[in-house]
Amino acid sequence: MNVLYIHSHDTGRAVQPYGAPVAMPAYQRLAEDGVLFRRAFAAAPTCSPSRAALLTGQSPHSAGMMGLAHRGFGLHDPRQHLARVLRANGFRTPLFGMQHVTRDDPADLGYDLVAAQDDRSAANVAPLAAAFLAERGQDAEGQPFFLDVGFEECHRPFLPAIPGTERFAQPPAVIPDVPQTRSDMADFEASARALDRGVGIVLDALAAAGLADDTLVICTTDHGLAFPDMKCTLTDLGTGVLLILRGPGAFAGGRVVDALAAQIDLFPTLCEALGIAPPAWLQGTSLLPLLHGEAES
């Protein structure tokens, strides 16, 4: 089974399948075909610690990522990164776009192909990832892949909204509802639409290559929205994240799961799903017993 890991910046749960008002058909389609976790949480409300926890299966202080990578923080041991483990187990490990776990060469984390590190917008990253999938679809005997696709959206500065749409924007409940915040929220929604278009391009390419039935898609974000009392805040609005899984077997069916789930659970989930021995450092728990009905929700 292949793995397609799609992630965004600063998106929280502000996507259509979670009730957000902006139309996001790619996310909605993914949720209707897969499994949506309504109460999923990141390990931290900031970028690098959250991403490091997901990709090492450890809390940020255990992984060594107590702050932002571009501020000099780093993993205690890059060999504990998911890409390194999957590469050692025979996977291709390309990275397109955002990673934010190291300011050094991402190849040190285990990626065998690194692209789009300068322009990480969905408009730039998605076509490059789609081209990789098209090429991979022509190689029926190729290695399984762990394709890491990271989008800059919805990080500030947001994309500009279409003039006039700010009249209908509704800021988050913790933000005063005034013309300035409506305009800001309209810009966020423009970024969310661009993000959805990028996700749609990648998912369409996966299907066109004939790989969708053999690929586990993991779609999530790092933490809450870049608004006051959200990102950088240890509340549900800071650490609550979207999490949608779609793939064969237990990862299909358009189900909604209300049980608590954490992003550090994804590494052990992959180990179980792929038949890989879980490394000793993992601190999360596989979600598969929950999906199989063998654990309490």
Side-chain angles (χ1 to χ4, degrees):
M1 184 165 58
N2 306 303
V3 180
L4 170 56
Y5 168 47
I6 303 176
H7 49 101
S8 63
H9 240 317
D10 299 9
T11 313
R13 299 181 184 135
V15 296
Q16 183 181 357
Y18 288 84
V22 58
M24 300 180 72
Y27 277 88
Q28 185 68 27
R29 184 172 78 247
L30 191 67
E32 291 175 357
D33 293 339
V35 181
L36 180 145
F37 292 82
R38 294 186 63 85
R39 301 174 69 197
F41 291 88
T46 53
C47 306
S48 297
S50 166
R51 295 170 184 272
L54 187 158
L55 291 164
T56 66
Q58 305 173 82
S59 59
H61 63 275
S62 297
M65 190 68 73
M66 295 294 289
L68 300 177
H70 66 275
R71 299 286 179 88
F73 292 89
L75 298 176
H76 287 316
D77 188 349
R79 294 173 298 178
Q80 295 179 337
H81 193 282
L82 178 61
R84 287 281 284 263
V85 173
L86 293 183
R87 186 173 180 179
N89 280 273
F91 281 70
R92 289 287 316 278
T93 54
L95 166 67
F96 292 91
M98 169 68 61
Q99 51 88 16
H100 211 186
V101 178
T102 183
R103 60 178 179 177
D104 299 323
D105 187 352
D108 295 341
L109 301 176
Y111 296 106
D112 60 14
L113 171 65
V114 177
Q117 290 292 287
D118 295 326
D119 181 353
R120 300 169 299 194
S121 67
N124 181 58
V125 172
L128 297 175
F132 169 86
L133 288 168
E135 180 180 351
R136 175 59 182 81
Q138 298 170 8
D139 182 11
E141 301 302 322
Q143 297 171 269
F145 59 77
F146 169 68
L147 173 56
D148 188 333
V149 182
F151 296 128
E152 183 77 18
E153 292 86 359
C154 298
H155 199 284
R156 290 181 181 273
F158 301 138
L159 295 175
I162 298 173
T165 56
E166 71 279 359
R167 294 173 296 166
F168 310 107
Q170 179 65 50
V174 295
I175 308 297
D177 184 4
V178 297
Q180 293 90 339
T181 59
R182 290 179 209 135
S183 177
D184 197 31
M185 192 62 189
D187 291 345
F188 170 85
E189 292 177 355
S191 292
R193 292 187 184 94
L195 170 63
D196 186 77
R197 287 192 293 272
V199 172
I201 288 170
V202 176
L203 293 179
D204 288 347
L206 184 73
L211 299 168
D213 292 340
D214 301 316
T215 301
L216 171 58
V217 179
I218 300 171
C219 188
T220 190
T221 187
D222 48 7
H223 46 67
L225 280 63
F227 286 91
D229 296 324
M230 302 180 80
K231 177 180 178 178
C232 298
T233 305
L234 280 171
T235 64
D236 283 12
L237 294 176
T239 60
V241 292
L242 70 100
L243 177 60
I244 306 171
L245 307 181
R246 189 198 73 186
F251 302 106
R255 290 187 290 160
V256 172
V257 176
D258 289 316
L260 287 171
Q263 288 182 336
I264 61 171
D265 296 332
L266 292 173
F267 199 145
T269 300
L270 282 176
C271 288
E272 183 173 0
L274 300 173
I276 295 173
W281 65 77
L282 296 183
Q283 297 172 340
T285 302
S286 173
L287 297 171
L288 276 176
L290 177 65
L291 298 182
H292 287 307
E294 299 167 358
E296 292 185 10
S297 63

